Amino acid sequence: MESPEHAAGFWGRVLVAVSACVLTVSIVGSAAFLWFRIQERRELRTRVQGFIASLENRTDAELADRAAQLRGKPKVAEYVLPEIRRALRASRSEDQLCAVIRLCEAFVDRREIETALFELRGDRREVVAGAAVDALAKVQPAERAAELLGQVLAGAASGETVPAGVDSACAGLFRLGAAGRAEIEKRLESMTVDRRLWLVKYVNEVGGPYRESWLTLLGADTDAGVREAVARARVMPEPILSVRVPAPQGVGDDNQAHLASEARRPGDAGD
């Protein structure tokens, strides 16, 4: 008859062997699952990169539709947004970058997107800089958007913000109403006279519910030329100013800024 010790040893060895098999299967299964997940993520990233690359061929309506789809699929957006941020930092195509910025307008409430857009205020491709600052004007609440646009204006003197970014910041503050007026009031003294004259022209031409409030603010300017321009604007609502395009803060007259698109008129760029 087999001794109890011998039987216990046999079943112990069986248990060890079974445990080893189970552990091996578990390790192999985990490795296979991990490999599958890695491949799945690679394929997803490839598809997302293809999506980003195709944006420059989309219309504004199509971009808005894509943005709406992403907002409705938060899990998908989590994969797409890192690629969007990467494109904002590294894209060499101006058209693609502007399209990505347009898509970003749906996600400006996310701080990482806000930061990426803010960093583009100094992009030497002025169309890109202007588009990025335009997107920042859509940040909510309006007070936060005004604060960001004020910081954009603050970078003009040092060259951190290109002229098109300044144009878009001024236009964005005007659209923000009371929050924008409060911010521009803090920034007026640091602006050149040419820029303040441009503001009078812009406000007068765009008009709207905030026109009078801004003209009142600009009418108290320390420069007599700006005050006179405001007085003339109130008498004649149509564009009547003949001012040079405002030069960037701290830069000579030879380096002229671009007007915001809303204020461009034939012949305005000349003296």
Side-chain angles (χ1 to χ4, degrees), residues 47-63:
R47 291 199 300 271
V48 170
Q49 289 174 337
F51 167 74
I52 297 296
S54 72
L55 290 178
E56 62 183 295
N57 301 316
R58 307 290 181 182
T59 65
D60 284 347
E62 288 174 329
L63 288 172

Side-chain angles (χ1 to χ4, degrees), residues 79-163:
Y79 284 103
V80 175
L81 288 176
E83 292 300 323
I84 287 178
R85 294 198 302 272
R86 190 173 290 108
L88 288 174
R89 292 194 303 268
S91 178
R92 296 182 179 180
S93 167
E94 183 176 292
D95 290 340
Q96 183 189 62
L97 193 48
C98 287
V100 171
I101 291 170
R102 178 72 178 82
L103 188 69
C104 282
E105 292 179 3
F107 301 98
V108 289
D109 57 324
R110 301 179 69 116
R111 189 54 62 93
E112 65 270 24
I113 296 297
E114 174 191 297
T115 300
L117 290 170
F118 184 78
E119 290 174 351
L120 288 172
R121 71 196 185 283
D123 196 288
R124 297 307 165 186
R125 296 164 293 185
E126 298 224 355
V127 172
V128 171
V133 177
D134 282 340
L136 287 175
K138 295 178 172 63
V139 170
Q140 292 295 327
E143 289 74 16
R144 174 59 182 167
E147 179 185 358
L148 286 168
L149 297 181
Q151 292 172 12
V152 170
L153 292 179
S158 62
E160 293 178 0
T161 303
V162 297

Side-chain angles (χ1 to χ4, degrees), residues 9 15 33-34 87 125 170-171 176 192 197 225 235 238 259 262:
L15 181 60
F33 177 76
L34 181 60
R125 296 164 293 185
C170 290
L176 287 173
T192 64
L197 284 169
V235 173
E238 294 299 319
L259 288 173
E262 297 93 332

Side-chain angles (χ1 to χ4, degrees), residues 26-38:
S26 176
I27 292 173
V28 172
S30 297
F33 177 76
L34 181 60
W35 179 85
F36 174 77
R37 293 291 294 171
I38 291 173

